[in-house]
Structures are given as structure tokens and as C-alpha cells.
Amino acid sequence: MAEPSSEQTQPQVGTLQLARGIRLLRLRLAGVTKPYDVDFRQPDGTPRPLSVISGPTNTGKTSVLQLASYALGGSHYPDHEEILRQVRTVILETAMPAGITTIERALESRTALVFDVALDRLGETVPEPHPVEPAGDPASLSKYLLSTIDLQDQ
């Protein structure tokens, strides 16, 4: 039996599809000065099976998780002085069964923009807006995410 080629075993980020679930690939905080990026991917661009966020106390570990949650429709983001002063938008690149999806949500926004491309290609497509609240709205971000991973109500 022939060995699979590296192309078959190492999917490229632009075409990556998961069988189920959502994997975080990159988090970008866009703001007043420069963007701040957190990369959850392996060096080849594929999702890590497990990511660990570690570091000394008060270095932003919890904030990273809270900001990812906010991008996915959470109601709160960290209210630390530095975040409030510097960050304007949270951009989260994910891998889902439908492929790469990037979600952009401005702080204080009730709408998330969903792009069907990787974070670095946002200018190449028109985003689809989804209200964050109410979560039960058929057009909501929550309904979109649940339907994308095949967990919506039947």
C-alpha cells in the first residue's frame, strides 16, 4: 500500500476542513497602535490538537480566552485599562467543518462580521453580518455557529 503524500496529511490553512467542532487558529486584537496576535496553529499552519496558554501572573492569559469568547458571541470582554485604551476590534480565525472562517467583532458591538477566508485575506471578500443578540434570532451569530458545526435545533 502506498504511503500518503505530505499534501494529503498536511492540509493547507486556506483549504482546511474539520470533521466537526471549532478550532481556534489565530486571535488578532486590532486597535489604536499595532495589532496584537496570538497564533494557536502549528508551524505548518494546521490547528494544534491542544494549545496551552501559559505565563507569569497578570500577562493576559485569561484575557486571551475572554476575547476569543467575546468574538464567538460572548457578552463580556476584559475591561483592563490597557485593553480599553488600545483594542478596538477582536478578530478570530477558526477552522470549522465548512472551512476557514474569520469572525470580527468590535468592542461594544452587537454585530459580528463573518468572513469565509483566513484572517490575512479579509479584504478579498464581503463579510456576512450576524447579530450577537438575541441568540435565538435565526440570523444570530450563535445560530450560525451552531448550524456550521451541525448542532442547531432540529
Side-chain angles (χ1 to χ4, degrees):
M1 181 175 233
E3 289 290 319
S5 73
S6 62
E7 287 179 7
Q8 292 171 325
T9 58
Q10 302 293 325
Q12 297 299 308
V13 171
T15 61
L16 178 65
Q17 291 185 300
L18 296 177
R20 57 184 303 155
I22 299 173
R23 293 277 179 95
L24 305 184
L25 298 177
R26 292 187 285 176
L27 174 71
R28 175 171 291 163
L29 306 178
V32 178
T33 54
K34 62 178 184 157
Y36 175 79
D37 291 325
V38 178
D39 198 334
F40 297 101
R41 301 170 301 167
Q42 298 187 85
D44 67 358
T46 59
R48 291 182 187 276
L50 175 68
S51 292
V52 176
I53 301 171
S54 66
T57 304
N58 293 324
T59 57
K61 300 175 300 294
T62 302
S63 294
V64 165
L65 297 175
Q66 290 172 332
L67 288 159
S69 173
Y70 181 75
L72 292 168
S75 56
H76 303 288
Y77 53 86
D79 62 356
H80 304 301
E81 182 181 332
E82 184 175 1
I83 290 173
L84 297 175
R85 186 171 24 93
Q86 293 291 329
V87 177
R88 296 296 175 260
T89 304
V90 179
I91 306 166
L92 183 65
E93 181 185 79
T94 65
M96 296 188 203
I100 299 297
T101 301
T102 302
I103 302 165
E104 179 179 319
R105 185 171 175 202
L107 298 190
E108 298 296 327
S109 178
R110 295 176 165 261
T111 301
L113 301 177
V114 177
F115 298 82
D116 61 357
V117 295
L119 193 151
D120 296 327
R121 298 178 52 212
L122 297 184
E124 298 176 15
T125 188
V126 176
E128 185 178 322
H130 289 276
V132 175
E133 296 176 359
D137 181 332
S140 74
L141 179 64
S142 177
K143 289 286 186 181
Y144 168 80
L145 293 171
L146 290 173
S147 68
T148 299
I149 60 173
D150 202 24
L151 290 176
Q152 76 280 7
D153 293 334
Q154 300 295 327

